[in-house]
Amino acid sequence: MAQVGGRSVFQVHPTRLCTLRCLHCYSSSGPDVAESLPIGVLGPAVREAAALGYDVLSVSGGEPLLYPELRALVRAARDAGMRTTVTTNGLSLTPRRIALLREVDLVAVSVDGVQPDHDRLRGEPGSHDRAMTGVRRLTEAGVPVGVVTTLTKNGATRLGEVADQVAAAGALLLQVRPLEAEGAARRLSAERPGPVELAYAAVELGRVAAEHGLAVQLDAVPRTSLLRDRASFTAEGATGDLGAWLTPLVVEANGAVVPSVHGFDRRYALGSLLDRPLADLAASWDPAPYRDLCARTWEQLTGGRTGPLITWYGHLLRASRARVGCP
Ligand code: SF4
């Protein structure tokens, strides 16, 4: 997909190590998952991403605060002129880590609904209260904080309550991510929100924005945008450096560089940072199969029966895995 809001995102998952093992984790991270990329690989990759036109480093995980070289990673991005965001579960905050996060432009704390919903998905009683404490500690320290929340089936009716809590804790942004059945979350496919829930969530977020002055974002695109702006979604005719037309570009903790979404099928990958530098991978990548996939997905979504809001990246990810012609 082309740039959104003029920003081009280089999304890095430096480690899959995490304090939690959430039911809905798309990267299947956890306390015993040691996969991690050395800073000697990621530092140069960030600089090369900036040269390719990426202007935001988004660090996700696993839990980025457990990555020992997070400070060096953030500084590499800042030195290259990029903005930075870090997504955290908010459970591992120490004074030293909060000081580190003061160097970040936006910290996103994951809060998955109200307390019973959050604690169930996170598999950890008390984790909701600890995450909200984390939001408060960060905002009190002057760190700009957004909250990322997962939307499950029937979860839209509770968005108002979530918004009340996160606004009171000082968050500036509420981002709603519809649950996708990826990674560990494949077992939760029955909990994915349908078209009605997505539409309800959009209405609810409009109300929340007006009432709380919170910036809000729903990770779904209106069908009308899809129809109106085909080239943005299919990258048809796009030229120039990757950062000008492909966002996000994703680095997984095993070194794989993939377009658009963590877990994208490897047939469309640029390659591995463990084999070659990012600049080489970008120069030798043939984007034609990826563009064909985007065009086919666009045709299916706009030609079929869909709701008014579409989770474009989720559809694209599933399409990347489909085996054409397999028996
Ligand atoms: S969803 Fe986030 S907090 Fe939960 S296991 Fe995955 S990386 Fe960790």
Side-chain angles (χ1 to χ4, degrees):
M1 189 175 175
Q3 292 180 348
V4 177
R7 294 283 171 195
S8 204
V9 177
F10 187 54
Q11 184 186 101
V12 172
H13 300 252
T15 180
R16 285 172 58 213
L17 186 64
C18 190
T19 38
L20 296 175
R21 194 194 312 278
C22 302
L23 290 179
H24 63 320
C25 184
Y26 63 76
S27 60
S28 301
S29 298
D32 52 3
V33 185
E35 202 167 66
S36 181
L37 281 171
I39 191 66
V41 169
L42 284 181
V46 164
R47 287 188 282 278
E48 289 166 32
L52 288 169
Y54 289 93
D55 52 8
V56 176
L57 171 71
S58 172
V59 189
S60 192
E63 170 53 60
L65 291 176
L66 300 185
Y67 181 61
E69 302 294 345
L70 180 61
R71 185 184 298 273
L73 182 60
V74 167
R75 287 191 174 166
R78 292 182 72 98
D79 290 349
M82 300 168 92
R83 299 208 177 185
T84 55
T85 72
V86 170
T87 302
T88 172
N89 62 27
L91 303 191
S92 305
L93 295 171
T94 60
R96 193 178 62 83
R97 285 171 173 154
I98 291 174
L100 187 169
L101 291 175
R102 292 184 70 170
E103 297 185 26
V104 173
D105 292 297
L106 181 73
V107 174
V109 180
S110 304
V111 180
D112 288 328
V114 292
Q115 181 259 325
D117 297 339
H118 178 102
D119 287 0
R120 180 182 72 86
L121 282 175
R122 301 274 152 184
E124 178 94 350
S127 58
H128 176 271
D129 291 353
R130 290 171 64 196
M132 290 304 301
T133 300
V135 173
R136 279 188 289 275
R137 289 181 67 196
L138 287 166
T139 56
E140 283 163 16
V143 178
V145 175
V147 163
V148 184
T149 192
T150 301
L151 178 68
T152 54
K153 199 170 186 170
N154 304 323
T157 54
R158 295 187 284 281
L159 278 178
E161 199 177 335
V162 176
D164 286 345
Q165 293 176 356
V166 304
L172 305 172
L173 166 73
L174 178 61
Q175 180 181 359
V176 177
R177 284 188 185 156
L179 176 73
E180 292 290 349
E182 295 304 323
R186 282 188 192 145
R187 57 198 153 180
L188 300 181
S189 56
E191 295 192 34
R192 280 176 57 206
V196 174
E197 280 101 350
L198 288 178
Y200 189 92
V203 171
E204 192 62 2
L205 283 180
R207 186 186 65 76
V208 158
E211 271 184 20
H212 295 287
L214 262 181
V216 295
Q217 178 184 324
L218 175 62
D219 289 353
V221 288
R223 190 168 191 274
T224 48
S225 299
L226 213 62
L227 284 165
R228 195 175 47 233
D229 200 6
R230 185 182 195 277
S232 289
F233 294 90
T234 63
E236 199 175 73
T239 54
D241 288 331
L242 281 191
W245 63 269
L246 176 64
T247 182
L249 182 65
V250 182
V251 178
E252 301 183 7
N254 60 7
V257 183
V258 297
S260 298
V261 193
H262 186 284
F264 219 75
D265 193 273
R266 297 299 188 257
R267 287 176 293 173
Y268 304 94
L270 283 75
S272 173
L273 286 181
L274 298 179
D275 297 331
R276 287 192 291 157
L278 182 66
D280 283 5
L281 296 178
S284 61
W285 186 52
D286 175 9
Y290 170 75
R291 287 178 171 160
D292 288 348
L293 177 76
C294 292
R296 284 200 309 274
T297 306
W298 187 92
E299 300 286 352
Q300 282 166 4
L301 289 172
T302 55
R305 284 163 58 91
T306 53
L309 290 159
I310 293 172
T311 51
W312 166 254
Y313 286 114
H315 283 282
L316 195 58
L317 176 60
R318 286 189 291 283
S320 81
R321 300 220 180 105
R323 296 280 155 184
V324 178
C326 282

